[in-house]
Amino acid sequence: MSAVVLNGKDVARKIRQELQDEIATETRRRGIPPKLLLFRVGEAEDACLYEQSITRLSDRFGFVVEKSVHSGADSPGQIRFNLKEVAGRADVDGILVLSPFPSGHDYHECVRSLPVSKDAEGTRYSPGAATVEVYPPTAMAVMEMVLASNIQVEGLHAVVVGRSPIVGRPAADLLLKHNATVTVCHSRTRNLEDFVASADILVAATGKPGLIKGAWIKPGAVCVDAGETVVNGAPAGDIDFNAALERAGFLTPVPSGVGPVTPLMLVRNLLTLSRGSSGS
Ligand code: NDP
């Protein structure tokens, strides 16, 4: 058997068109485009690069980006106050708090001040919460890749390897919402191989390149690899891709699997928040 390779760029192309149409519709409905506020503390290179990439995304999709930049010299209390203040603005639909923060500031403590109703990146996500449909974008992208296989998820056994709050746990929650029977594995799981072998749907989200051996995979399984770790200068996934090709039914590559879909899920979250904030 040779797996169907699920190319994230193809999946992204389709979603991009849908989102562009939805943003245009939402903009017509409200009379103004959705607004995302990028909240940055300090000048960390990664935060600035992410800010630039989101700004490019906004040009492409037609939503508005506003930058709110704060000095690392301000106290953590002042920064939290500033975040609450912008979160209270009616013209701001969603807020993305850029990381990392400068030393002396705690990113996680700060984002706790962000109301769920403005949380564009799902940083306030908690498993099982049903009020807001916003999840961390990488987990949403994992679910999109599973759905791109066109399999019937309901009733299948999904195994998620990794339990971080930004990938593994929310991916497990989304699979549960689609009525899969879900097992979550982690670094203390005994006999990982046995769990993987029972997975109709396998999600790998560990950042341990090649952890999942091809021979472990159930023949025909849908395998989504969220892991992306640079090895010898090239990105590598958690699943041994070449060996997995021989057993899986569907398999995402690294790169060009989950990665291209992830930023689009931020746009989807902004739309969700925008619709919620205007009472629709
Ligand atoms: P974390 O380090 O936060 O979490 C890793 C998880 O993997 C933990 O739950 C850990 O278990 C588990 N784990 C580690 N080693 C093993 C092992 N040997 N067996 C089973 N489970 C193990 O990573 P993230 O969730 O932030 O990221 C995971 C991967 O996803 C990374 O490669 C990251 O680069 C990638 N990523 C990809 C994105 C994309 O858009 N494609 C975006 C964000 C992340 P425990 O909890 O016990 O420590």
Side-chain angles (χ1 to χ4, degrees), residues 137-139 141-142 161-169 184-189 192 204-209 211-212 225-229 236-238 257-263:
T138 308
V142 163
V161 189
R163 58 175 167 179
S164 80
I166 62 161
V167 192
R169 278 192 198 203
V184 179
C185 300
H186 46 80
S187 67
R188 312 293 171 89
T189 297
L192 179 63
T206 67
K208 303 287 175 206
L211 173 71
I212 313 283
D225 194 345
E228 195 161 331
T229 311
D238 295 350
V258 172
V261 180
T262 300

Side-chain angles (χ1 to χ4, degrees), residues 4 6-7 11 142-151 222 250:
V4 173
L6 292 170
N7 189 313
V11 176
V142 163
M143 194 67 228
E144 287 297 328
M145 296 309 286
V146 171
L147 295 174
S149 70
N150 285 321
I151 54 148
V222 176
F250 297 87

Side-chain angles (χ1 to χ4, degrees), residues 1-8 10-11 145-146 148-151 220-224 241 244-253 257:
M1 173 186 283
S2 188
V4 173
V5 176
L6 292 170
N7 189 313
D10 295 338
V11 176
M145 296 309 286
V146 171
S149 70
N150 285 321
I151 54 148
V222 176
C223 299
V224 176
F241 184 81
L245 265 183
E246 298 305 314
R247 289 176 73 89
F250 297 87
L251 180 61
T252 64

Side-chain angles (χ1 to χ4, degrees), residues 14-191:
K14 184 165 166 277
I15 297 172
R16 198 177 293 128
Q17 187 58 56
E18 286 167 10
L19 286 173
Q20 279 167 338
D21 293 348
E22 286 182 53
I23 291 207
T25 304
E26 178 66 359
T27 303
R28 272 196 303 277
R29 188 182 73 80
R30 307 183 341 154
I32 46 164
K35 183 186 277 189
L36 177 68
L37 187 134
L38 302 178
F39 189 94
R40 172 160 59 82
V41 182
E43 303 294 328
E45 189 184 358
D46 281 357
C48 293
L49 286 173
Y50 194 30
E51 185 180 272
Q52 286 164 18
S53 77
I54 304 293
T55 304
R56 282 195 297 273
L57 204 64
S58 73
D59 292 340
R60 191 165 190 177
F61 282 90
F63 62 90
V64 172
V65 154
E66 179 179 327
K67 295 172 190 169
S68 177
V69 181
H70 305 270
S71 166
D74 291 348
S75 70
Q78 180 65 47
I79 298 289
R80 283 197 300 276
F81 176 84
N82 294 344
L83 181 58
K84 280 184 196 156
E85 193 171 57
V86 290
R89 279 173 43 192
D91 67 317
V92 172
D93 297 294
I95 297 177
L96 192 161
V97 182
L98 295 150
S99 67
F101 273 16
S103 62
H105 291 270
D106 184 334
Y107 168 83
H108 296 285
E109 192 187 334
C110 184
V111 292
R112 279 200 284 273
S113 305
L114 186 61
V116 173
S117 60
K118 297 281 169 97
D119 178 19
E121 248 195 344
T123 42
R124 301 284 325 276
Y125 154 84
S126 62
T131 44
V132 174
E133 295 297 303
V134 165
Y135 289 81
T138 308
M140 294 169 73
V142 163
M143 194 67 228
E144 287 297 328
M145 296 309 286
V146 171
L147 295 174
S149 70
N150 285 321
I151 54 148
Q152 188 74 39
V153 174
E154 180 165 325
L156 295 183
H157 184 208
V159 172
V160 179
V161 189
R163 58 175 167 179
S164 80
I166 62 161
V167 192
R169 278 192 198 203
D173 211 17
L174 283 165
L175 285 157
L176 262 180
K177 277 186 79 170
H178 282 81
N179 292 320
T181 302
V182 181
T183 303
V184 179
C185 300
H186 46 80
S187 67
R188 312 293 171 89
T189 297
R190 293 183 190 164
N191 305 323

